[in-house]
Amino acid sequence: MKLKKNLKRIGVYAGLILAAFLIQTSVFPLMTMFSSVPNLLLILTFSLGFIYGSMTGMLCGFFAGLLLDLFYTGPFGFYCLIYMALGYTNGIFSRYYYDDFISLPLIMCAANELIYNLYIFLFRFLFRGKTDIIFYFTDIILPELLFSLLITLLIYRIFLKVGKKLDSMEQRRGQNVA
């Protein structure tokens, strides 16, 4: 019984990860009016970690990072490592989770974007001798951060509703059996 409930939740999370990956890599780059794209996988990872805890955030981060590692060049595990670490860290804050409290998820989104982009800068650019952090911050980090904050305002509520729907389905199923 518990396995069946978990399989449904895992299937929904897998669908969300796949949809976020496809939109992030296929749809947003076609919109030429935007100079950057929001990191939907990062938003999903920190949201699920924040709402459901460290284990869920870490697993979501692993699979989101795995998709990026499979489809982009670089050392394998590069994205898995950062996404898992961020998912786990955001899960620590799940004890401060409230449905109507949107400022903490926005702060976490900004912190995650900064950490993620500094990680990319450090291991992809700085080690190759490209040290222009001012250019990287103003042209890449800041637009992506602002766009991700805007998207977080919109889709964080969607993730909350999906989670509440799954929770209510699980509770109803448990009441029917007893």
Side-chain angles (χ1 to χ4, degrees):
M1 182 70 173
K2 185 171 176 139
L3 178 65
K4 193 172 186 179
K5 288 192 299 189
N6 286 337
L7 284 178
K8 184 178 280 190
R9 189 173 288 273
I10 289 169
V12 169
Y13 292 164
L16 285 172
I17 292 170
L18 189 60
F21 176 75
L22 290 174
I23 292 169
Q24 179 177 325
T25 58
S26 301
V27 176
F28 281 145
L30 296 177
M31 297 179 186
T32 57
M33 63 187 145
F34 303 124
S35 63
S36 67
V37 297
N39 196 336
L40 293 177
L41 289 172
L42 188 62
I43 294 169
L44 180 64
T45 299
F46 92 76
S47 296
L48 291 179
F50 178 59
I51 295 169
Y52 294 108
S54 294
M55 184 58 90
T56 303
M58 196 168 59
L59 288 173
C60 178
F62 172 75
F63 288 108
L66 185 65
L67 274 175
L68 290 172
D69 283 334
L70 289 172
F71 288 96
Y72 290 105
T73 59
F76 194 76
F78 181 77
Y79 291 107
C80 276
L81 179 65
I82 188 67
Y83 276 84
M84 281 177 42
L86 289 173
Y88 178 79
T89 304
N90 287 300
I92 294 171
F93 294 100
S94 66
R95 69 183 116 188
Y96 304 112
Y97 162 71
Y98 298 105
D99 287 350
D100 55 349
F101 194 50
I102 192 67
S103 59
L104 185 58
L106 289 176
I107 292 168
M108 291 172 53
C109 177
N112 284 312
E113 281 288 340
L114 286 173
I115 292 167
Y116 173 78
N117 281 303
L118 290 175
Y119 174 81
I120 298 290
F121 178 77
L122 179 68
F123 291 109
R124 291 279 169 122
F125 297 109
L126 193 61
F127 284 165
R128 294 189 317 187
K130 298 181 181 185
T131 60
D132 193 8
I133 187 122
I134 303 297
F135 170 78
Y136 189 75
F137 183 79
T138 58
D139 285 4
I140 295 173
I141 294 177
L142 196 58
E144 184 176 321
L145 176 83
L146 294 174
F147 202 18
S148 290
L149 284 172
L150 179 66
I151 296 296
T152 299
L153 279 172
L154 299 173
I155 65 173
Y156 181 75
R157 296 285 182 199
I158 294 171
F159 296 150
L160 280 174
K161 286 183 183 184
V162 168
K164 284 182 181 179
K165 181 74 173 169
L166 285 171
D167 291 341
S168 71
M169 288 170 55
E170 289 173 3
Q171 287 176 352
R172 274 188 288 161
R173 178 170 290 213
Q175 290 173 353
N176 290 341
V177 172

